[in-house]
PDB file of all heavy atoms in Angstrom:
ATOM      1  N   PHE A  24     -27.925 -22.852 -68.976  1.00 97.00           N
ATOM      2  CA  PHE A  24     -28.012 -22.337 -70.309  1.00 97.00           C
ATOM      3  C   PHE A  24     -26.713 -22.654 -71.095  1.00 97.00           C
ATOM      4  O   PHE A  24     -26.874 -22.983 -72.277  1.00 97.00           O
ATOM      5  CB  PHE A  24     -28.212 -20.680 -70.278  1.00 97.00           C
ATOM      6  CG  PHE A  24     -28.386 -20.186 -71.639  1.00 97.00           C
ATOM      7  CD1 PHE A  24     -29.610 -20.443 -72.240  1.00 97.00           C
ATOM      8  CD2 PHE A  24     -27.366 -19.680 -72.404  1.00 97.00           C
ATOM      9  CE1 PHE A  24     -29.798 -20.009 -73.673  1.00 97.00           C
ATOM     10  CE2 PHE A  24     -27.596 -19.260 -73.691  1.00 97.00           C
ATOM     11  CZ  PHE A  24     -28.743 -19.338 -74.305  1.00 97.00           C
ATOM     12  N   LEU A  68     -20.785 -15.353 -72.173  1.00 93.00           N
ATOM     13  CA  LEU A  68     -22.232 -15.239 -71.999  1.00 93.00           C
ATOM     14  C   LEU A  68     -22.683 -15.626 -70.709  1.00 93.00           C
ATOM     15  O   LEU A  68     -23.516 -14.909 -70.068  1.00 93.00           O
ATOM     16  CB  LEU A  68     -22.911 -16.126 -73.113  1.00 93.00           C
ATOM     17  CG  LEU A  68     -24.345 -16.236 -73.135  1.00 93.00           C
ATOM     18  CD1 LEU A  68     -25.034 -14.984 -73.534  1.00 93.00           C
ATOM     19  CD2 LEU A  68     -24.881 -17.378 -74.090  1.00 93.00           C
ATOM     20  N   LEU A  72     -24.884 -13.440 -68.060  1.00 95.00           N
ATOM     21  CA  LEU A  72     -26.147 -13.859 -67.680  1.00 95.00           C
ATOM     22  C   LEU A  72     -26.257 -13.981 -66.178  1.00 95.00           C
ATOM     23  O   LEU A  72     -27.259 -13.720 -65.520  1.00 95.00           O
ATOM     24  CB  LEU A  72     -26.544 -15.207 -68.209  1.00 95.00           C
ATOM     25  CG  LEU A  72     -26.740 -15.228 -69.904  1.00 95.00           C
ATOM     26  CD1 LEU A  72     -27.193 -16.670 -70.269  1.00 95.00           C
ATOM     27  CD2 LEU A  72     -27.690 -14.200 -70.261  1.00 95.00           C
ATOM     28  N   LEU A  81     -32.917 -10.073 -65.778  1.00 95.00           N
ATOM     29  CA  LEU A  81     -32.934 -10.890 -66.989  1.00 95.00           C
ATOM     30  C   LEU A  81     -34.356 -11.380 -67.196  1.00 95.00           C
ATOM     31  O   LEU A  81     -34.834 -12.063 -66.325  1.00 95.00           O
ATOM     32  CB  LEU A  81     -31.961 -12.001 -66.995  1.00 95.00           C
ATOM     33  CG  LEU A  81     -31.705 -12.803 -68.286  1.00 95.00           C
ATOM     34  CD1 LEU A  81     -31.260 -11.991 -69.330  1.00 95.00           C
ATOM     35  CD2 LEU A  81     -30.763 -14.077 -68.027  1.00 95.00           C
ATOM     36  N   GLN A  82     -34.926 -11.260 -68.262  1.00 95.00           N
ATOM     37  CA  GLN A  82     -36.292 -11.700 -68.459  1.00 95.00           C
ATOM     38  C   GLN A  82     -36.309 -12.843 -69.452  1.00 95.00           C
ATOM     39  O   GLN A  82     -37.259 -13.781 -69.427  1.00 95.00           O
ATOM     40  CB  GLN A  82     -37.106 -10.624 -69.148  1.00 95.00           C
ATOM     41  CG  GLN A  82     -37.309  -9.286 -68.372  1.00 95.00           C
ATOM     42  CD  GLN A  82     -37.828  -8.219 -69.068  1.00 95.00           C
ATOM     43  OE1 GLN A  82     -38.247  -8.222 -70.129  1.00 95.00           O
ATOM     44  NE2 GLN A  82     -37.949  -7.085 -68.518  1.00 95.00           N
ATOM     45  N   ARG A  83     -35.384 -12.961 -70.463  1.00 96.00           N
ATOM     46  CA  ARG A  83     -35.490 -14.021 -71.488  1.00 96.00           C
ATOM     47  C   ARG A  83     -34.159 -14.070 -72.079  1.00 96.00           C
ATOM     48  O   ARG A  83     -33.465 -13.176 -72.256  1.00 96.00           O
ATOM     49  CB  ARG A  83     -36.591 -13.693 -72.347  1.00 96.00           C
ATOM     50  CG  ARG A  83     -36.898 -14.802 -73.351  1.00 96.00           C
ATOM     51  CD  ARG A  83     -37.834 -14.304 -74.469  1.00 96.00           C
ATOM     52  NE  ARG A  83     -38.970 -13.646 -73.968  1.00 96.00           N
ATOM     53  CZ  ARG A  83     -39.846 -12.879 -74.671  1.00 96.00           C
ATOM     54  NH1 ARG A  83     -39.717 -12.956 -75.996  1.00 96.00           N
ATOM     55  NH2 ARG A  83     -40.913 -12.377 -74.094  1.00 96.00           N
ATOM     56  N   VAL A  84     -33.904 -15.381 -72.494  1.00 96.00           N
ATOM     57  CA  VAL A  84     -32.449 -15.539 -73.301  1.00 96.00           C
ATOM     58  C   VAL A  84     -33.105 -16.363 -74.519  1.00 96.00           C
ATOM     59  O   VAL A  84     -33.776 -17.367 -74.448  1.00 96.00           O
ATOM     60  CB  VAL A  84     -31.550 -16.392 -72.585  1.00 96.00           C
ATOM     61  CG1 VAL A  84     -30.341 -16.607 -73.460  1.00 96.00           C
ATOM     62  CG2 VAL A  84     -31.157 -15.737 -71.300  1.00 96.00           C
ATOM     63  N   VAL A  85     -32.670 -16.017 -75.676  1.00 96.00           N
ATOM     64  CA  VAL A  85     -33.128 -16.630 -76.942  1.00 96.00           C
ATOM     65  C   VAL A  85     -31.849 -17.132 -77.758  1.00 96.00           C
ATOM     66  O   VAL A  85     -31.120 -16.221 -78.109  1.00 96.00           O
ATOM     67  CB  VAL A  85     -34.025 -15.757 -77.718  1.00 96.00           C
ATOM     68  CG1 VAL A  85     -34.481 -16.697 -79.080  1.00 96.00           C
ATOM     69  CG2 VAL A  85     -35.218 -15.286 -76.974  1.00 96.00           C
ATOM     70  N   LEU A  86     -31.720 -18.398 -77.969  1.00 97.00           N
ATOM     71  CA  LEU A  86     -30.788 -18.879 -78.911  1.00 97.00           C
ATOM     72  C   LEU A  86     -31.296 -18.954 -80.365  1.00 97.00           C
ATOM     73  O   LEU A  86     -32.334 -19.613 -80.482  1.00 97.00           O
ATOM     74  CB  LEU A  86     -30.126 -20.194 -78.377  1.00 97.00           C
ATOM     75  CG  LEU A  86     -28.885 -20.679 -79.242  1.00 97.00           C
ATOM     76  CD1 LEU A  86     -28.019 -21.605 -78.330  1.00 97.00           C
ATOM     77  CD2 LEU A  86     -29.285 -21.531 -80.471  1.00 97.00           C
ATOM     78  N   TRP A 100     -34.822 -20.868 -79.767  1.00 97.00           N
ATOM     79  CA  TRP A 100     -34.881 -21.517 -78.562  1.00 97.00           C
ATOM     80  C   TRP A 100     -35.083 -20.472 -77.493  1.00 97.00           C
ATOM     81  O   TRP A 100     -34.232 -19.833 -77.205  1.00 97.00           O
ATOM     82  CB  TRP A 100     -33.626 -22.454 -78.381  1.00 97.00           C
ATOM     83  CG  TRP A 100     -33.649 -23.538 -79.377  1.00 97.00           C
ATOM     84  CD1 TRP A 100     -33.190 -23.447 -80.726  1.00 97.00           C
ATOM     85  CD2 TRP A 100     -34.005 -24.983 -79.114  1.00 97.00           C
ATOM     86  NE1 TRP A 100     -33.256 -24.715 -81.183  1.00 97.00           N
ATOM     87  CE2 TRP A 100     -33.827 -25.652 -80.286  1.00 97.00           C
ATOM     88  CE3 TRP A 100     -34.461 -25.470 -77.961  1.00 97.00           C
ATOM     89  CZ2 TRP A 100     -34.045 -27.022 -80.356  1.00 97.00           C
ATOM     90  CZ3 TRP A 100     -34.794 -26.914 -78.062  1.00 97.00           C
ATOM     91  CH2 TRP A 100     -34.447 -27.671 -79.314  1.00 97.00           C
ATOM     92  N   ASN A 101     -36.323 -20.319 -76.967  1.00 97.00           N
ATOM     93  CA  ASN A 101     -36.671 -19.287 -76.041  1.00 97.00           C
ATOM     94  C   ASN A 101     -36.738 -19.767 -74.573  1.00 97.00           C
ATOM     95  O   ASN A 101     -37.437 -20.627 -74.266  1.00 97.00           O
ATOM     96  CB  ASN A 101     -38.008 -18.859 -76.509  1.00 97.00           C
ATOM     97  CG  ASN A 101     -38.491 -17.604 -75.762  1.00 97.00           C
ATOM     98  OD1 ASN A 101     -38.226 -16.571 -76.215  1.00 97.00           O
ATOM     99  ND2 ASN A 101     -39.222 -17.798 -74.731  1.00 97.00           N
ATOM    100  N   PHE A 102     -35.840 -19.178 -73.787  1.00 98.00           N
ATOM    101  CA  PHE A 102     -35.891 -19.472 -72.278  1.00 98.00           C
ATOM    102  C   PHE A 102     -36.347 -18.242 -71.547  1.00 98.00           C
ATOM    103  O   PHE A 102     -35.667 -17.276 -71.377  1.00 98.00           O
ATOM    104  CB  PHE A 102     -34.458 -19.892 -71.919  1.00 98.00           C
ATOM    105  CG  PHE A 102     -33.855 -20.978 -72.624  1.00 98.00           C
ATOM    106  CD1 PHE A 102     -33.200 -20.795 -73.908  1.00 98.00           C
ATOM    107  CD2 PHE A 102     -33.990 -22.267 -72.203  1.00 98.00           C
ATOM    108  CE1 PHE A 102     -32.564 -21.882 -74.536  1.00 98.00           C
ATOM    109  CE2 PHE A 102     -33.458 -23.378 -72.887  1.00 98.00           C
ATOM    110  CZ  PHE A 102     -32.720 -23.234 -73.974  1.00 98.00           C
ATOM    111  N   SER A 103     -37.537 -18.213 -71.055  1.00 97.00           N
ATOM    112  CA  SER A 103     -38.183 -17.280 -70.281  1.00 97.00           C
ATOM    113  C   SER A 103     -37.918 -17.400 -68.855  1.00 97.00           C
ATOM    114  O   SER A 103     -38.045 -18.460 -68.292  1.00 97.00           O
ATOM    115  CB  SER A 103     -39.702 -17.188 -70.478  1.00 97.00           C
ATOM    116  OG  SER A 103     -40.091 -16.938 -71.840  1.00 97.00           O
ATOM    117  N   ILE A 104     -37.524 -16.269 -68.164  1.00 97.00           N
ATOM    118  CA  ILE A 104     -37.190 -16.331 -66.684  1.00 97.00           C
ATOM    119  C   ILE A 104     -38.134 -15.452 -65.885  1.00 97.00           C
ATOM    120  O   ILE A 104     -38.293 -14.332 -66.221  1.00 97.00           O
ATOM    121  CB  ILE A 104     -35.685 -15.848 -66.679  1.00 97.00           C
ATOM    122  CG1 ILE A 104     -34.718 -16.822 -67.487  1.00 97.00           C
ATOM    123  CG2 ILE A 104     -35.234 -15.784 -65.214  1.00 97.00           C
ATOM    124  CD1 ILE A 104     -33.542 -16.206 -68.030  1.00 97.00           C
ATOM    125  N   VAL A 153     -27.256 -15.213 -79.800  1.00 95.00           N
ATOM    126  CA  VAL A 153     -27.971 -15.322 -78.588  1.00 95.00           C
ATOM    127  C   VAL A 153     -28.524 -13.967 -78.251  1.00 95.00           C
ATOM    128  O   VAL A 153     -27.756 -12.928 -78.359  1.00 95.00           O
ATOM    129  CB  VAL A 153     -27.145 -15.739 -77.419  1.00 95.00           C
ATOM    130  CG1 VAL A 153     -27.855 -15.562 -76.070  1.00 95.00           C
ATOM    131  CG2 VAL A 153     -26.599 -17.115 -77.638  1.00 95.00           C
ATOM    132  N   LEU A 154     -29.784 -13.762 -77.980  1.00 94.00           N
ATOM    133  CA  LEU A 154     -30.308 -12.519 -77.690  1.00 94.00           C
ATOM    134  C   LEU A 154     -30.704 -12.494 -76.157  1.00 94.00           C
ATOM    135  O   LEU A 154     -31.140 -13.591 -75.703  1.00 94.00           O
ATOM    136  CB  LEU A 154     -31.675 -12.356 -78.446  1.00 94.00           C
ATOM    137  CG  LEU A 154     -31.690 -12.601 -79.933  1.00 94.00           C
ATOM    138  CD1 LEU A 154     -33.077 -12.356 -80.537  1.00 94.00           C
ATOM    139  CD2 LEU A 154     -30.792 -11.605 -80.583  1.00 94.00           C
ATOM    140  N   ALA A 155     -30.637 -11.500 -75.491  1.00 93.00           N
ATOM    141  CA  ALA A 155     -30.912 -11.306 -74.043  1.00 93.00           C
ATOM    142  C   ALA A 155     -32.011 -10.138 -73.884  1.00 93.00           C
ATOM    143  O   ALA A 155     -31.750  -9.159 -74.448  1.00 93.00           O
ATOM    144  CB  ALA A 155     -29.802 -11.032 -73.228  1.00 93.00           C
ATOM    145  N   TYR A 156     -33.088 -10.486 -73.201  1.00 91.00           N
ATOM    146  CA  TYR A 156     -34.124  -9.482 -72.939  1.00 91.00           C
ATOM    147  C   TYR A 156     -33.960  -9.140 -71.487  1.00 91.00           C
ATOM    148  O   TYR A 156     -34.071 -10.007 -70.648  1.00 91.00           O
ATOM    149  CB  TYR A 156     -35.500 -10.055 -73.172  1.00 91.00           C
ATOM    150  CG  TYR A 156     -35.842 -10.366 -74.654  1.00 91.00           C
ATOM    151  CD1 TYR A 156     -35.271 -11.472 -75.345  1.00 91.00           C
ATOM    152  CD2 TYR A 156     -36.826  -9.602 -75.282  1.00 91.00           C
ATOM    153  CE1 TYR A 156     -35.628 -11.554 -76.671  1.00 91.00           C
ATOM    154  CE2 TYR A 156     -37.164  -9.829 -76.560  1.00 91.00           C
ATOM    155  CZ  TYR A 156     -36.551 -10.785 -77.282  1.00 91.00           C
ATOM    156  OH  TYR A 156     -36.841 -11.081 -78.574  1.00 91.00           O
ATOM    157  N   TRP A 167     -21.894  -6.408 -76.264  1.00 69.00           N
ATOM    158  CA  TRP A 167     -23.224  -6.692 -76.744  1.00 69.00           C
ATOM    159  C   TRP A 167     -23.767  -5.546 -77.605  1.00 69.00           C
ATOM    160  O   TRP A 167     -23.302  -4.376 -77.536  1.00 69.00           O
ATOM    161  CB  TRP A 167     -24.158  -6.879 -75.699  1.00 69.00           C
ATOM    162  CG  TRP A 167     -23.989  -8.046 -74.865  1.00 69.00           C
ATOM    163  CD1 TRP A 167     -23.044  -8.329 -73.975  1.00 69.00           C
ATOM    164  CD2 TRP A 167     -24.807  -9.273 -74.790  1.00 69.00           C
ATOM    165  NE1 TRP A 167     -22.971  -9.575 -73.418  1.00 69.00           N
ATOM    166  CE2 TRP A 167     -24.186 -10.225 -73.897  1.00 69.00           C
ATOM    167  CE3 TRP A 167     -26.109  -9.527 -75.329  1.00 69.00           C
ATOM    168  CZ2 TRP A 167     -24.788 -11.389 -73.616  1.00 69.00           C
ATOM    169  CZ3 TRP A 167     -26.676 -10.770 -75.118  1.00 69.00           C
ATOM    170  CH2 TRP A 167     -26.015 -11.728 -74.251  1.00 69.00           C
TER     171      TRP A 167
END
Side-chain angles (χ1 to χ4, degrees):
F24 186 75
L68 173 70
L72 294 184
L81 188 62
Q82 300 169 5
R83 191 186 314 171
V84 181
V85 183
L86 188 149
W100 291 79
N101 187 89
F102 301 88
S103 298
I104 297 146
V153 173
L154 312 178
Y156 291 69
W167 291 66

